[in-house]
Amino acid sequence: MNHQDIIDFIIQSDSPKIKYAFTDIDGVLRGKIIHRQKFLDGLTDGFGFCDVVWGWDSTDTPYDNGRTTGWHSGYPDAPVRLDISTFRQLPWEDNMPFFLADFSLGLDGQPNAYGLAACPRSLLKRIASQCQQMGFHAEFAQEFEWFNFRETPQSLQQKNFQQLEPLTPGMFGYSILRPSLESTFNHDLFDLLAQFDVPLEGLHTETGPGVYEAAIMHDEVVRAADKAALFKTAVKEIAYRHGVVATFMAKWNAELPGCSGHVHQSLWNPEQTKNLFYDPAKPNNMSELMCQFMAGQLYCLPHITPMFAPTINSYKRLVEGAWAPTTITWSVDNRTTALRVLNHREAYTRVEHRVSGSDTNPYLAIAASLASGLYGIRHKLTLDIPASVGNGYADKRNGILPTNLDEATKAMANSPIAAELFGTEFVDHFTRTRDWEWRQYLRQVSDWELKRYFEII
């Protein structure tokens, strides 16, 4: 369907309602249901949306250090535009029409610096445009692991997030048996996501009680990020309808594996007929372009880690022996390194960025992957770091990743590399939000502290 076909469909639809949404800086979908007439009017004039969405955190608590908006500005409306090409229908809500939006344009249709600085989707669109101008088609996909619990939002609060009932018991990765216990839920995930235009390549259990993994079909980079962002909320909405709560925390339990959000990536010619990462004449079938791309990612990684690990909890996953990387390393088909090369066939040759957790904002993780890879190509970096063999956790020749959000945020805030990749306005806004997150954490007293110190000290 072209744009006019979509508009005609909305006009002729029996439903007077349209839902639209965008992700905030944390990757949380924010949006509204609007009347069909408001939708049609907004195609010309755009919409106003309270800019507090760029001035508060995931709990709706206003930042005390924001510049983009705040009490000092009075939280005015900001211009939001629907992207008509993202049209899909919500199969679990009577096929209500749905659109993604962003803040790339002002109400006059001209580029808006405010939106470009704060809006994750706008940032990715800008980097994707740079990629196209360099003569590449970027093909990406994200995969996610997440835990499922037989709980409700109310029971989570009543139990204080303790003694939760997993969907299924025990450690049973790649199980054929366990999904049969919840076959309706499993089939709904696969089928409803496909109807929502977020088709899955695969769905299976991972090791851990009630944990699943899904790989989303690859697509052009912005559409891939759209699908990844929608996937997380769609899974939660489908789960609700089965009496299940899904969590994409990076590490919900210290004794269990964490949850990844690996980013798969490749560059193709504009016609999409040749994978530019594949060269059978080179070692490991890795083209010079692929090596430059990976060199850029490894070089930039310490400067932009919060894009892949944005929460306090992210760094509980990035520990040795937890199926997540801790070192600045690469390998061929080795799951202990930051970058993993998959190179058996041209059609599937790609780089898997394994630092990203399931708690990431897909637009930011994918933007960081692409921007840092393009940095390596623009600067013609060489992949001087030898491939890790065996245990990547022990390979510290090129350094280690930051160990907490404070360390990672300070590195990014002061990095000219980050400013070159994303612009000073975005870096300032994003790192201020991460600094706020760290300071909220410092104010808390944990159960661990109480158990360790309350009586004995």
Side-chain angles (χ1 to χ4, degrees), residues 140-146 174 189-190 193-194 198-206 212-219 224 227-228 231 235 248 260-264 340 342 350 352:
F140 274 58
Q142 196 162 7
E143 59 178 284
F144 291 100
E145 298 165 347
W146 76 97
Y174 301 104
L189 284 172
F190 204 95
L193 284 166
V198 185
L200 300 185
E201 185 179 89
L203 173 67
H204 62 86
T205 64
E206 255 293 357
Y212 287 2
E213 178 177 355
I216 304 170
M217 296 283 281
H218 61 84
D219 204 337
K227 291 176 179 179
F231 170 85
V235 165
F248 288 83
S260 70
H262 301 154
V263 179
H264 294 257
R340 173 180 172 231
L342 296 155
R350 62 194 186 276
E352 178 188 35

Side-chain angles (χ1 to χ4, degrees), residues 16-65:
K17 298 177 290 186
I18 289 94
K19 182 181 284 190
Y20 77 89
F22 54 87
T23 72
D24 65 13
I25 203 71
D26 290 292
V28 177
L29 276 184
R30 308 277 186 172
K32 297 179 180 181
I33 293 176
I34 59 174
H35 193 276
R36 176 170 51 209
Q37 190 58 53
K38 185 173 180 65
F39 164 80
L40 295 172
D41 292 343
L43 294 177
T44 301
D45 301 327
F47 303 95
F49 203 103
C50 179
D51 77 356
V52 72
V53 293
W54 308 118
W56 64 19
D57 65 14
S58 58
T59 70
D60 293 4
T61 304
Y63 301 127
D64 65 6
N65 62 346

Side-chain angles (χ1 to χ4, degrees), residues 296-361:
Q297 292 193 322
L298 294 173
Y299 179 76
C300 296
L301 184 54
H303 300 266
I304 60 174
T305 303
M307 303 283 273
F308 301 104
T311 71
I312 298 295
N313 184 251
S314 301
Y315 299 83
K316 306 295 177 67
R317 168 182 166 264
L318 299 174
V319 295
E320 291 189 8
W323 300 99
T326 59
T327 54
I328 301 172
T329 47
W330 73 276
S331 66
V332 176
D333 201 7
N334 182 327
R335 288 181 168 85
T336 66
T337 57
L339 302 182
R340 173 180 172 231
V341 173
L342 296 155
N343 61 347
H344 303 301
R345 293 170 52 194
E346 178 179 353
Y348 297 104
T349 293
R350 62 194 186 276
V351 180
E352 178 188 35
H353 204 304
R354 295 182 57 82
V355 179
S356 181
S358 61
D359 58 344
T360 52
N361 181 330

